Amino acid sequence: MSVRGAVLFIVLLAGVVGLQAVHEDNGGRPASTTANMLYVRSPDAMKRLALSYDSLLADLYWVRAIQHYGTTRLATDPETQFDLLYPLLDLTTALDPHFTVAYYFGSLFLAEPPPGGPGRPEEAIALLEKGLEALPDRWELAQSIGFVHYWWLQDYEEAAAWFTRASEFDNAPIWMAPLAAVTLAEGGSRESSRLLWSEIAQGVDDEWFRNEAARRLRQLDAMDYIDGLTEVVGAFEQQAGQTPSGWDEMWRAGYLPGVPVDPAGTPYGLESGVVGLGPGSPLSPLPTGPAHLQ
Amino acid sequence: MRLIGQIAVNVFKESVRDKVLYNLVAFAVLLIAVSYLLGQLTAGQDMKIIKDLGLAAIASFGRLIAVFIGIGLVWKEVERRSIYSLLSKPIQRYEFILGKYAGLALTLFVNVAVMTLAFYAVLAYLNTQYPESVQVTWSAPATDPGMLRAILLIFLELLLITAVALFFSTFSSPFLSAALTLGLWVIGHFNDDLRSFDAVVESPVAAYFARGLYYLLPNFGAFDIKAQVVYALPVPWQYVVTTTMYGCVYIALLLTGAVAIFSRRDFK
């Protein structure tokens, strides 16, 4: 290449980079309504179209499902929905029926109530049942269905039935049968929830699930602590005849040894005499279900 | 036999001169780049996805070579008119066809072998990046030798595609040969639908016709056991052997057809 040619090449290259930067400054492509588009929704059609690339396409749909969940969860626009979550997970698991993580994570994503998720436990159950059909020896899937009934639908009879079914698998852990019994006897109690999460924390291999279970356990601890603090605040109100303005006032009055912090290390909130998690606590929001975690 | 070998070596050398093996660099770069990026995107599924991608890439690069070089094996010689000087030598037409086929098969073998080595090297490296607590959660070890069964069947599929491309190239243009080869490859993945065609049509004639196609068309879907090996699911050796035999017989059938057609062609 001559010097003139090299110079031309560099100038053109700089032009391409510069124009791309201008493009970026201008905000990229004009807004379109096709961002949430899924051209093929039918798992049967996609399986045929995939030819021999089923697994790879399943991976792509899985990555897309995670991105869809993540971006929708972080979106500030209240209109943003998790519309594609189930279709993406349905396609992922149709293309690769052995993609166990897609069933487990997918059901968690789907069942999570707004604003963290779409709050569609029925779809979570449908996904898990599909998984159980494809992988009939996985007791974990039956347990997960029971879990959705327990935690998100508060249907403890159905939850206990699924835990019982999970306990009947050849390779099921020994704690599954007692879990079913406890669920039936004390479904919805904070203690039975603690037992459920503890077993999940100890039983699963995946680090994300372990962390999630540990977070739920810390939430239950925080709820216990909030109950205790609420009693202390009540005692203060009775004595002082007014609601405390903050933890400092209670601490100075000798009701508390210091500012109380939740298991994640964030100070609890106290507003108008109501105790709750402090702003910015990683344990927030506390579970809305089961409804009567007493 | 010696002549077939010489033609084969020449085809291999030509493919090296044509920089066909550059795809190996593309494969390595793709695999390394994706391995680096995936950890951020896949919620702990990176090892599975790298395996899926690696196996799919081995098959895809091989298919491109098999189709686009396969269709030119005969056509190039005719187009350059070098076929006249070749056939004026003491070379039988079947030796020419078999030599061309063996040459491309050798090119594909080298490609698949090097890509397999690179694939296992990347997996072995990635294996060192994960603690044992994570490794136990994988459905199969990172460098599971069981994946070689899938690679063996991928290689056989490539040999079959080459035979299809060579067969079509003995009597049609490169464009038409490529279209026919790719078309047959696509149809070859719908064999299960052809088998159960009677469930969707009422006409028994159409059902019998579809059934006939099911037996006649190459069953490319049978060579795909990538998903099974990634999850270390059982793939009996009997299946691998039967599929290998099926592939070999089909290749022999296509080469016989290619030789028969090429032997009748008039180059005067």
Side-chain angles (χ1 to χ4, degrees), chain A residues 48 51-56 59 62-63 66-67 96 98-99 101 205, chain B residues 42 45 48-49 52 60 63 137 185 189 193 224 226-227 231 233:
Chain A
R48 283 180 170 78
L51 300 174
S52 70
Y53 295 95
D54 320 40
S55 299
L56 197 62
D59 298 340
W62 171 238
V63 171
I66 294 173
Q67 286 182 330
D96 185 349
H98 291 92
F99 210 146
V101 172
D205 295 328
Chain B
T42 59
Q45 293 304 294
K48 174 214 179 289
I49 295 181
D52 284 340
S60 301
R63 280 174 199 142
T137 65
W185 179 75
H189 282 90
D193 292 307
D224 181 21
K226 297 194 292 289
Y231 288 111
L233 297 174

PDB file of all heavy atoms in Angstrom, chain A residues 48 51-56 59 62-63 66-67 96 98-99 101 205, chain B residues 42 45 48-49 52 60 63 137 185 189 193 224 226-227 231 233:
ATOM      1  N   ARG A  48     -38.478 -26.810  15.037  1.00  0.00           N
ATOM      2  CA  ARG A  48     -38.271 -27.230  13.651  1.00  0.00           C
ATOM      3  C   ARG A  48     -37.288 -26.289  12.958  1.00  0.00           C
ATOM      4  O   ARG A  48     -36.408 -26.732  12.219  1.00  0.00           O
ATOM      5  CB  ARG A  48     -39.597 -27.248  12.907  1.00  0.00           C
ATOM      6  CG  ARG A  48     -40.423 -28.458  13.250  1.00  0.00           C
ATOM      7  CD  ARG A  48     -41.734 -28.471  12.504  1.00  0.00           C
ATOM      8  NE  ARG A  48     -42.399 -29.754  12.675  1.00  0.00           N
ATOM      9  CZ  ARG A  48     -43.063 -30.096  13.762  1.00  0.00           C
ATOM     10  NH1 ARG A  48     -43.134 -29.274  14.784  1.00  0.00           N
ATOM     11  NH2 ARG A  48     -43.645 -31.281  13.852  1.00  0.00           N
ATOM     12  N   LEU A  51     -33.211 -26.581  13.326  1.00  0.00           N
ATOM     13  CA  LEU A  51     -32.403 -27.617  12.658  1.00  0.00           C
ATOM     14  C   LEU A  51     -31.522 -28.296  13.698  1.00  0.00           C
ATOM     15  O   LEU A  51     -32.029 -28.845  14.637  1.00  0.00           O
ATOM     16  CB  LEU A  51     -31.626 -27.007  11.495  1.00  0.00           C
ATOM     17  CG  LEU A  51     -32.527 -26.382  10.408  1.00  0.00           C
ATOM     18  CD1 LEU A  51     -31.716 -25.670   9.346  1.00  0.00           C
ATOM     19  CD2 LEU A  51     -33.443 -27.415   9.780  1.00  0.00           C
ATOM     20  N   SER A  52     -30.206 -28.202  13.576  1.00  0.00           N
ATOM     21  CA  SER A  52     -29.380 -28.891  14.583  1.00  0.00           C
ATOM     22  C   SER A  52     -28.825 -27.915  15.616  1.00  0.00           C
ATOM     23  O   SER A  52     -27.873 -28.235  16.321  1.00  0.00           O
ATOM     24  CB  SER A  52     -28.244 -29.643  13.905  1.00  0.00           C
ATOM     25  OG  SER A  52     -27.311 -28.729  13.389  1.00  0.00           O
ATOM     26  N   TYR A  53     -29.402 -26.727  15.677  1.00  0.00           N
ATOM     27  CA  TYR A  53     -28.881 -25.710  16.589  1.00  0.00           C
ATOM     28  C   TYR A  53     -29.798 -25.512  17.799  1.00  0.00           C
ATOM     29  O   TYR A  53     -29.824 -24.417  18.377  1.00  0.00           O
ATOM     30  CB  TYR A  53     -28.675 -24.393  15.838  1.00  0.00           C
ATOM     31  CG  TYR A  53     -27.611 -24.487  14.766  1.00  0.00           C
ATOM     32  CD1 TYR A  53     -27.927 -24.744  13.449  1.00  0.00           C
ATOM     33  CD2 TYR A  53     -26.270 -24.348  15.091  1.00  0.00           C
ATOM     34  CE1 TYR A  53     -26.945 -24.859  12.476  1.00  0.00           C
ATOM     35  CE2 TYR A  53     -25.280 -24.456  14.133  1.00  0.00           C
ATOM     36  CZ  TYR A  53     -25.626 -24.715  12.822  1.00  0.00           C
ATOM     37  OH  TYR A  53     -24.639 -24.828  11.870  1.00  0.00           O
ATOM     38  N   ASP A  54     -30.525 -26.531  18.197  1.00  0.00           N
ATOM     39  CA  ASP A  54     -31.473 -26.416  19.314  1.00  0.00           C
ATOM     40  C   ASP A  54     -30.808 -25.883  20.582  1.00  0.00           C
ATOM     41  O   ASP A  54     -31.273 -24.927  21.186  1.00  0.00           O
ATOM     42  CB  ASP A  54     -32.099 -27.771  19.674  1.00  0.00           C
ATOM     43  CG  ASP A  54     -32.449 -28.618  18.492  1.00  0.00           C
ATOM     44  OD1 ASP A  54     -31.671 -28.644  17.532  1.00  0.00           O
ATOM     45  OD2 ASP A  54     -33.485 -29.278  18.539  1.00  0.00           O
ATOM     46  N   SER A  55     -29.711 -26.533  20.953  1.00  0.00           N
ATOM     47  CA  SER A  55     -29.070 -26.171  22.228  1.00  0.00           C
ATOM     48  C   SER A  55     -28.532 -24.751  22.188  1.00  0.00           C
ATOM     49  O   SER A  55     -28.674 -24.000  23.155  1.00  0.00           O
ATOM     50  CB  SER A  55     -27.921 -27.120  22.537  1.00  0.00           C
ATOM     51  OG  SER A  55     -28.403 -28.412  22.656  1.00  0.00           O
ATOM     52  N   LEU A  56     -27.924 -24.405  21.068  1.00  0.00           N
ATOM     53  CA  LEU A  56     -27.345 -23.063  20.965  1.00  0.00           C
ATOM     54  C   LEU A  56     -28.447 -22.002  20.992  1.00  0.00           C
ATOM     55  O   LEU A  56     -28.302 -20.966  21.654  1.00  0.00           O
ATOM     56  CB  LEU A  56     -26.527 -22.957  19.673  1.00  0.00           C
ATOM     57  CG  LEU A  56     -25.556 -21.792  19.613  1.00  0.00           C
ATOM     58  CD1 LEU A  56     -24.498 -21.887  20.695  1.00  0.00           C
ATOM     59  CD2 LEU A  56     -24.885 -21.728  18.251  1.00  0.00           C
ATOM     60  N   ASP A  59     -29.616 -21.540  24.433  1.00  0.00           N
ATOM     61  CA  ASP A  59     -28.699 -20.668  25.179  1.00  0.00           C
ATOM     62  C   ASP A  59     -28.990 -19.198  24.880  1.00  0.00           C
ATOM     63  O   ASP A  59     -28.998 -18.356  25.779  1.00  0.00           O
ATOM     64  CB  ASP A  59     -27.245 -20.975  24.804  1.00  0.00           C
ATOM     65  CG  ASP A  59     -26.851 -22.395  25.166  1.00  0.00           C
ATOM     66  OD1 ASP A  59     -27.533 -22.996  26.009  1.00  0.00           O
ATOM     67  OD2 ASP A  59     -25.862 -22.902  24.600  1.00  0.00           O
ATOM     68  N   TRP A  62     -32.067 -18.138  26.536  1.00  0.00           N
ATOM     69  CA  TRP A  62     -31.821 -18.054  27.985  1.00  0.00           C
ATOM     70  C   TRP A  62     -31.150 -16.725  28.331  1.00  0.00           C
ATOM     71  O   TRP A  62     -31.573 -16.017  29.249  1.00  0.00           O
ATOM     72  CB  TRP A  62     -30.961 -19.240  28.415  1.00  0.00           C
ATOM     73  CG  TRP A  62     -30.468 -19.163  29.829  1.00  0.00           C
ATOM     74  CD1 TRP A  62     -29.174 -19.183  30.241  1.00  0.00           C
ATOM     75  CD2 TRP A  62     -31.261 -19.043  31.020  1.00  0.00           C
ATOM     76  NE1 TRP A  62     -29.112 -19.080  31.611  1.00  0.00           N
ATOM     77  CE2 TRP A  62     -30.382 -18.995  32.114  1.00  0.00           C
ATOM     78  CE3 TRP A  62     -32.627 -18.968  31.258  1.00  0.00           C
ATOM     79  CZ2 TRP A  62     -30.811 -18.877  33.422  1.00  0.00           C
ATOM     80  CZ3 TRP A  62     -33.060 -18.844  32.579  1.00  0.00           C
ATOM     81  CH2 TRP A  62     -32.164 -18.813  33.630  1.00  0.00           C
ATOM     82  N   VAL A  63     -30.125 -16.374  27.561  1.00  0.00           N
ATOM     83  CA  VAL A  63     -29.434 -15.099  27.797  1.00  0.00           C
ATOM     84  C   VAL A  63     -30.424 -13.947  27.610  1.00  0.00           C
ATOM     85  O   VAL A  63     -30.451 -12.989  28.388  1.00  0.00           O
ATOM     86  CB  VAL A  63     -28.222 -14.955  26.836  1.00  0.00           C
ATOM     87  CG1 VAL A  63     -27.632 -13.560  26.923  1.00  0.00           C
ATOM     88  CG2 VAL A  63     -27.156 -15.994  27.164  1.00  0.00           C
ATOM     89  N   ILE A  66     -32.701 -13.666  30.627  1.00  0.00           N
ATOM     90  CA  ILE A  66     -32.042 -13.012  31.769  1.00  0.00           C
ATOM     91  C   ILE A  66     -31.971 -11.510  31.540  1.00  0.00           C
ATOM     92  O   ILE A  66     -32.251 -10.711  32.431  1.00  0.00           O
ATOM     93  CB  ILE A  66     -30.617 -13.582  31.956  1.00  0.00           C
ATOM     94  CG1 ILE A  66     -30.693 -15.049  32.363  1.00  0.00           C
ATOM     95  CG2 ILE A  66     -29.848 -12.793  32.996  1.00  0.00           C
ATOM     96  CD1 ILE A  66     -29.349 -15.709  32.395  1.00  0.00           C
ATOM     97  N   GLN A  67     -31.598 -11.137  30.304  1.00  0.00           N
ATOM     98  CA  GLN A  67     -31.484  -9.708  30.008  1.00  0.00           C
ATOM     99  C   GLN A  67     -32.854  -9.033  30.098  1.00  0.00           C
ATOM    100  O   GLN A  67     -32.970  -7.920  30.617  1.00  0.00           O
ATOM    101  CB  GLN A  67     -30.894  -9.514  28.617  1.00  0.00           C
ATOM    102  CG  GLN A  67     -29.405  -9.829  28.594  1.00  0.00           C
ATOM    103  CD  GLN A  67     -28.812  -9.602  27.235  1.00  0.00           C
ATOM    104  OE1 GLN A  67     -29.478  -9.739  26.226  1.00  0.00           O
ATOM    105  NE2 GLN A  67     -27.541  -9.267  27.201  1.00  0.00           N
ATOM    106  N   ASP A  96     -34.298 -26.909  24.677  1.00  0.00           N
ATOM    107  CA  ASP A  96     -33.383 -27.730  25.470  1.00  0.00           C
ATOM    108  C   ASP A  96     -34.117 -28.171  26.742  1.00  0.00           C
ATOM    109  O   ASP A  96     -34.042 -27.501  27.779  1.00  0.00           O
ATOM    110  CB  ASP A  96     -32.135 -26.911  25.823  1.00  0.00           C
ATOM    111  CG  ASP A  96     -31.097 -27.758  26.534  1.00  0.00           C
ATOM    112  OD1 ASP A  96     -31.414 -28.899  26.928  1.00  0.00           O
ATOM    113  OD2 ASP A  96     -29.953 -27.288  26.700  1.00  0.00           O
ATOM    114  N   HIS A  98     -33.509 -30.232  28.896  1.00  0.00           N
ATOM    115  CA  HIS A  98     -32.666 -30.570  30.050  1.00  0.00           C
ATOM    116  C   HIS A  98     -32.066 -29.341  30.721  1.00  0.00           C
ATOM    117  O   HIS A  98     -31.210 -29.478  31.598  1.00  0.00           O
ATOM    118  CB  HIS A  98     -31.539 -31.503  29.615  1.00  0.00           C
ATOM    119  CG  HIS A  98     -32.037 -32.861  29.234  1.00  0.00           C
ATOM    120  ND1 HIS A  98     -32.374 -33.192  27.959  1.00  0.00           N
ATOM    121  CD2 HIS A  98     -32.292 -33.955  29.981  1.00  0.00           C
ATOM    122  CE1 HIS A  98     -32.801 -34.443  27.925  1.00  0.00           C
ATOM    123  NE2 HIS A  98     -32.772 -34.929  29.137  1.00  0.00           N
ATOM    124  N   PHE A  99     -32.471 -28.163  30.287  1.00  0.00           N
ATOM    125  CA  PHE A  99     -31.905 -26.919  30.813  1.00  0.00           C
ATOM    126  C   PHE A  99     -32.508 -26.647  32.189  1.00  0.00           C
ATOM    127  O   PHE A  99     -33.368 -25.787  32.365  1.00  0.00           O
ATOM    128  CB  PHE A  99     -32.235 -25.786  29.850  1.00  0.00           C
ATOM    129  CG  PHE A  99     -31.220 -24.681  29.817  1.00  0.00           C
ATOM    130  CD1 PHE A  99     -30.951 -24.005  28.641  1.00  0.00           C
ATOM    131  CD2 PHE A  99     -30.536 -24.306  30.948  1.00  0.00           C
ATOM    132  CE1 PHE A  99     -30.024 -22.995  28.583  1.00  0.00           C
ATOM    133  CE2 PHE A  99     -29.598 -23.297  30.922  1.00  0.00           C
ATOM    134  CZ  PHE A  99     -29.344 -22.632  29.729  1.00  0.00           C
ATOM    135  N   VAL A 101     -31.606 -25.251  34.960  1.00  0.00           N
ATOM    136  CA  VAL A 101     -31.522 -23.924  35.583  1.00  0.00           C
ATOM    137  C   VAL A 101     -32.615 -23.005  35.055  1.00  0.00           C
ATOM    138  O   VAL A 101     -33.136 -22.162  35.783  1.00  0.00           O
ATOM    139  CB  VAL A 101     -30.119 -23.336  35.339  1.00  0.00           C
ATOM    140  CG1 VAL A 101     -30.048 -21.899  35.786  1.00  0.00           C
ATOM    141  CG2 VAL A 101     -29.088 -24.150  36.088  1.00  0.00           C
ATOM    142  N   ASP A 205     -27.088 -26.779  44.925  1.00  0.00           N
ATOM    143  CA  ASP A 205     -25.687 -26.638  44.509  1.00  0.00           C
ATOM    144  C   ASP A 205     -25.387 -25.228  44.025  1.00  0.00           C
ATOM    145  O   ASP A 205     -24.283 -24.746  44.162  1.00  0.00           O
ATOM    146  CB  ASP A 205     -25.388 -27.603  43.348  1.00  0.00           C
ATOM    147  CG  ASP A 205     -25.497 -29.036  43.797  1.00  0.00           C
ATOM    148  OD1 ASP A 205     -25.189 -29.299  44.963  1.00  0.00           O
ATOM    149  OD2 ASP A 205     -25.900 -29.883  42.982  1.00  0.00           O
TER     150      ASP A 205
ATOM    151  N   THR B  42     -24.717 -15.144  31.636  1.00  0.00           N
ATOM    152  CA  THR B  42     -25.465 -16.394  31.571  1.00  0.00           C
ATOM    153  C   THR B  42     -25.920 -16.959  32.905  1.00  0.00           C
ATOM    154  O   THR B  42     -26.426 -18.070  32.939  1.00  0.00           O
ATOM    155  CB  THR B  42     -24.610 -17.465  30.896  1.00  0.00           C
ATOM    156  OG1 THR B  42     -23.417 -17.617  31.663  1.00  0.00           O
ATOM    157  CG2 THR B  42     -24.267 -17.087  29.497  1.00  0.00           C
ATOM    158  N   GLN B  45     -24.242 -20.348  33.664  1.00  0.00           N
ATOM    159  CA  GLN B  45     -24.362 -21.423  32.671  1.00  0.00           C
ATOM    160  C   GLN B  45     -23.258 -21.357  31.613  1.00  0.00           C
ATOM    161  O   GLN B  45     -23.403 -21.908  30.526  1.00  0.00           O
ATOM    162  CB  GLN B  45     -25.732 -21.345  31.993  1.00  0.00           C
ATOM    163  CG  GLN B  45     -26.868 -21.653  32.925  1.00  0.00           C
ATOM    164  CD  GLN B  45     -26.711 -23.001  33.582  1.00  0.00           C
ATOM    165  OE1 GLN B  45     -26.757 -24.031  32.940  1.00  0.00           O
ATOM    166  NE2 GLN B  45     -26.459 -23.015  34.889  1.00  0.00           N
ATOM    167  N   LYS B  48     -21.754 -24.751  30.104  1.00  0.00           N
ATOM    168  CA  LYS B  48     -22.704 -25.425  29.186  1.00  0.00           C
ATOM    169  C   LYS B  48     -22.764 -24.675  27.857  1.00  0.00           C
ATOM    170  O   LYS B  48     -22.721 -25.283  26.782  1.00  0.00           O
ATOM    171  CB  LYS B  48     -24.097 -25.474  29.823  1.00  0.00           C
ATOM    172  CG  LYS B  48     -25.157 -26.024  28.891  1.00  0.00           C
ATOM    173  CD  LYS B  48     -26.487 -25.359  29.133  1.00  0.00           C
ATOM    174  CE  LYS B  48     -27.565 -25.859  28.206  1.00  0.00           C
ATOM    175  NZ  LYS B  48     -27.497 -25.501  26.830  1.00  0.00           N
ATOM    176  N   ILE B  49     -22.831 -23.361  27.931  1.00  0.00           N
ATOM    177  CA  ILE B  49     -22.998 -22.575  26.706  1.00  0.00           C
ATOM    178  C   ILE B  49     -21.728 -22.640  25.853  1.00  0.00           C
ATOM    179  O   ILE B  49     -21.799 -22.728  24.629  1.00  0.00           O
ATOM    180  CB  ILE B  49     -23.403 -21.122  27.048  1.00  0.00           C
ATOM    181  CG1 ILE B  49     -24.795 -21.142  27.701  1.00  0.00           C
ATOM    182  CG2 ILE B  49     -23.403 -20.243  25.808  1.00  0.00           C
ATOM    183  CD1 ILE B  49     -25.348 -19.801  28.085  1.00  0.00           C
ATOM    184  N   ASP B  52     -21.892 -25.912  24.106  1.00  0.00           N
ATOM    185  CA  ASP B  52     -22.875 -25.838  23.007  1.00  0.00           C
ATOM    186  C   ASP B  52     -22.289 -25.073  21.831  1.00  0.00           C
ATOM    187  O   ASP B  52     -22.387 -25.500  20.679  1.00  0.00           O
ATOM    188  CB  ASP B  52     -24.142 -25.093  23.475  1.00  0.00           C
ATOM    189  CG  ASP B  52     -25.021 -25.947  24.367  1.00  0.00           C
ATOM    190  OD1 ASP B  52     -24.878 -27.181  24.315  1.00  0.00           O
ATOM    191  OD2 ASP B  52     -25.839 -25.381  25.110  1.00  0.00           O
ATOM    192  N   SER B  60     -20.621 -26.025  12.212  1.00  0.00           N
ATOM    193  CA  SER B  60     -20.946 -24.976  11.234  1.00  0.00           C
ATOM    194  C   SER B  60     -19.776 -24.665  10.307  1.00  0.00           C
ATOM    195  O   SER B  60     -19.954 -24.561   9.092  1.00  0.00           O
ATOM    196  CB  SER B  60     -21.356 -23.691  11.960  1.00  0.00           C
ATOM    197  OG  SER B  60     -22.453 -23.959  12.764  1.00  0.00           O
ATOM    198  N   ARG B  63     -19.483 -27.450   7.913  1.00  0.00           N
ATOM    199  CA  ARG B  63     -20.549 -27.461   6.891  1.00  0.00           C
ATOM    200  C   ARG B  63     -20.252 -26.457   5.786  1.00  0.00           C
ATOM    201  O   ARG B  63     -20.444 -26.742   4.603  1.00  0.00           O
ATOM    202  CB  ARG B  63     -21.894 -27.126   7.538  1.00  0.00           C
ATOM    203  CG  ARG B  63     -22.508 -28.301   8.240  1.00  0.00           C
ATOM    204  CD  ARG B  63     -23.763 -27.901   8.983  1.00  0.00           C
ATOM    205  NE  ARG B  63     -24.063 -28.904   9.991  1.00  0.00           N
ATOM    206  CZ  ARG B  63     -24.533 -28.652  11.202  1.00  0.00           C
ATOM    207  NH1 ARG B  63     -24.751 -27.412  11.582  1.00  0.00           N
ATOM    208  NH2 ARG B  63     -24.769 -29.625  12.042  1.00  0.00           N
ATOM    209  N   THR B 137     -21.345 -28.752  40.379  1.00  0.00           N
ATOM    210  CA  THR B 137     -22.711 -28.458  39.936  1.00  0.00           C
ATOM    211  C   THR B 137     -22.890 -28.711  38.438  1.00  0.00           C
ATOM    212  O   THR B 137     -24.013 -28.692  37.943  1.00  0.00           O
ATOM    213  CB  THR B 137     -23.098 -26.984  40.224  1.00  0.00           C
ATOM    214  OG1 THR B 137     -22.267 -26.133  39.423  1.00  0.00           O
ATOM    215  CG2 THR B 137     -22.905 -26.642  41.678  1.00  0.00           C
ATOM    216  N   TRP B 185     -29.969 -30.860   3.213  1.00  0.00           N
ATOM    217  CA  TRP B 185     -29.542 -30.847   4.621  1.00  0.00           C
ATOM    218  C   TRP B 185     -30.703 -30.391   5.515  1.00  0.00           C
ATOM    219  O   TRP B 185     -30.939 -30.959   6.588  1.00  0.00           O
ATOM    220  CB  TRP B 185     -28.330 -29.922   4.785  1.00  0.00           C
ATOM    221  CG  TRP B 185     -27.855 -29.846   6.203  1.00  0.00           C
ATOM    222  CD1 TRP B 185     -27.151 -30.783   6.882  1.00  0.00           C
ATOM    223  CD2 TRP B 185     -28.083 -28.770   7.125  1.00  0.00           C
ATOM    224  NE1 TRP B 185     -26.916 -30.364   8.170  1.00  0.00           N
ATOM    225  CE2 TRP B 185     -27.469 -29.137   8.344  1.00  0.00           C
ATOM    226  CE3 TRP B 185     -28.725 -27.536   7.047  1.00  0.00           C
ATOM    227  CZ2 TRP B 185     -27.494 -28.317   9.463  1.00  0.00           C
ATOM    228  CZ3 TRP B 185     -28.748 -26.715   8.169  1.00  0.00           C
ATOM    229  CH2 TRP B 185     -28.146 -27.109   9.358  1.00  0.00           C
ATOM    230  N   HIS B 189     -33.363 -32.787   8.317  1.00  0.00           N
ATOM    231  CA  HIS B 189     -33.658 -32.584   9.735  1.00  0.00           C
ATOM    232  C   HIS B 189     -35.155 -32.721  10.036  1.00  0.00           C
ATOM    233  O   HIS B 189     -35.577 -32.547  11.168  1.00  0.00           O
ATOM    234  CB  HIS B 189     -33.175 -31.207  10.191  1.00  0.00           C
ATOM    235  CG  HIS B 189     -31.692 -31.168  10.411  1.00  0.00           C
ATOM    236  ND1 HIS B 189     -30.802 -30.836   9.410  1.00  0.00           N
ATOM    237  CD2 HIS B 189     -30.941 -31.472  11.491  1.00  0.00           C
ATOM    238  CE1 HIS B 189     -29.572 -30.910   9.883  1.00  0.00           C
ATOM    239  NE2 HIS B 189     -29.623 -31.291  11.135  1.00  0.00           N
ATOM    240  N   ASP B 193     -40.739 -35.731  11.074  1.00  0.00           N
ATOM    241  CA  ASP B 193     -42.048 -35.266  10.595  1.00  0.00           C
ATOM    242  C   ASP B 193     -42.523 -36.113   9.426  1.00  0.00           C
ATOM    243  O   ASP B 193     -43.712 -36.390   9.302  1.00  0.00           O
ATOM    244  CB  ASP B 193     -41.956 -33.796  10.171  1.00  0.00           C
ATOM    245  CG  ASP B 193     -41.714 -32.905  11.363  1.00  0.00           C
ATOM    246  OD1 ASP B 193     -42.475 -33.006  12.327  1.00  0.00           O
ATOM    247  OD2 ASP B 193     -40.752 -32.128  11.341  1.00  0.00           O
ATOM    248  N   ASP B 224     -26.886 -35.671  15.082  1.00  0.00           N
ATOM    249  CA  ASP B 224     -26.813 -34.595  16.064  1.00  0.00           C
ATOM    250  C   ASP B 224     -27.055 -35.123  17.482  1.00  0.00           C
ATOM    251  O   ASP B 224     -28.203 -35.321  17.886  1.00  0.00           O
ATOM    252  CB  ASP B 224     -27.849 -33.520  15.707  1.00  0.00           C
ATOM    253  CG  ASP B 224     -27.808 -32.364  16.675  1.00  0.00           C
ATOM    254  OD1 ASP B 224     -26.766 -32.196  17.353  1.00  0.00           O
ATOM    255  OD2 ASP B 224     -28.810 -31.638  16.773  1.00  0.00           O
ATOM    256  N   LYS B 226     -25.349 -33.517  20.077  1.00  0.00           N
ATOM    257  CA  LYS B 226     -24.623 -32.502  20.844  1.00  0.00           C
ATOM    258  C   LYS B 226     -25.256 -32.282  22.216  1.00  0.00           C
ATOM    259  O   LYS B 226     -24.567 -32.222  23.229  1.00  0.00           O
ATOM    260  CB  LYS B 226     -24.587 -31.184  20.062  1.00  0.00           C
ATOM    261  CG  LYS B 226     -23.839 -31.270  18.735  1.00  0.00           C
ATOM    262  CD  LYS B 226     -23.535 -29.900  18.172  1.00  0.00           C
ATOM    263  CE  LYS B 226     -24.747 -29.136  17.722  1.00  0.00           C
ATOM    264  NZ  LYS B 226     -25.396 -29.643  16.505  1.00  0.00           N
ATOM    265  N   ALA B 227     -26.592 -32.130  22.223  1.00  0.00           N
ATOM    266  CA  ALA B 227     -27.266 -31.844  23.493  1.00  0.00           C
ATOM    267  C   ALA B 227     -27.050 -32.980  24.486  1.00  0.00           C
ATOM    268  O   ALA B 227     -26.838 -32.746  25.679  1.00  0.00           O
ATOM    269  CB  ALA B 227     -28.758 -31.636  23.245  1.00  0.00           C
ATOM    270  N   TYR B 231     -24.858 -32.768  28.316  1.00  0.00           N
ATOM    271  CA  TYR B 231     -25.424 -33.137  29.625  1.00  0.00           C
ATOM    272  C   TYR B 231     -24.945 -34.508  30.092  1.00  0.00           C
ATOM    273  O   TYR B 231     -25.447 -35.012  31.103  1.00  0.00           O
ATOM    274  CB  TYR B 231     -26.955 -33.153  29.542  1.00  0.00           C
ATOM    275  CG  TYR B 231     -27.555 -31.778  29.438  1.00  0.00           C
ATOM    276  CD1 TYR B 231     -28.171 -31.353  28.273  1.00  0.00           C
ATOM    277  CD2 TYR B 231     -27.493 -30.880  30.503  1.00  0.00           C
ATOM    278  CE1 TYR B 231     -28.723 -30.081  28.170  1.00  0.00           C
ATOM    279  CE2 TYR B 231     -28.035 -29.617  30.405  1.00  0.00           C
ATOM    280  CZ  TYR B 231     -28.650 -29.223  29.239  1.00  0.00           C
ATOM    281  OH  TYR B 231     -29.189 -27.964  29.139  1.00  0.00           O
ATOM    282  N   LEU B 233     -25.638 -37.306  28.964  1.00  0.00           N
ATOM    283  CA  LEU B 233     -26.727 -38.289  28.944  1.00  0.00           C
ATOM    284  C   LEU B 233     -26.226 -39.538  28.209  1.00  0.00           C
ATOM    285  O   LEU B 233     -25.330 -39.450  27.370  1.00  0.00           O
ATOM    286  CB  LEU B 233     -27.944 -37.707  28.206  1.00  0.00           C
ATOM    287  CG  LEU B 233     -28.581 -36.482  28.855  1.00  0.00           C
ATOM    288  CD1 LEU B 233     -29.671 -35.916  27.955  1.00  0.00           C
ATOM    289  CD2 LEU B 233     -29.157 -36.830  30.211  1.00  0.00           C
TER     290      LEU B 233
END
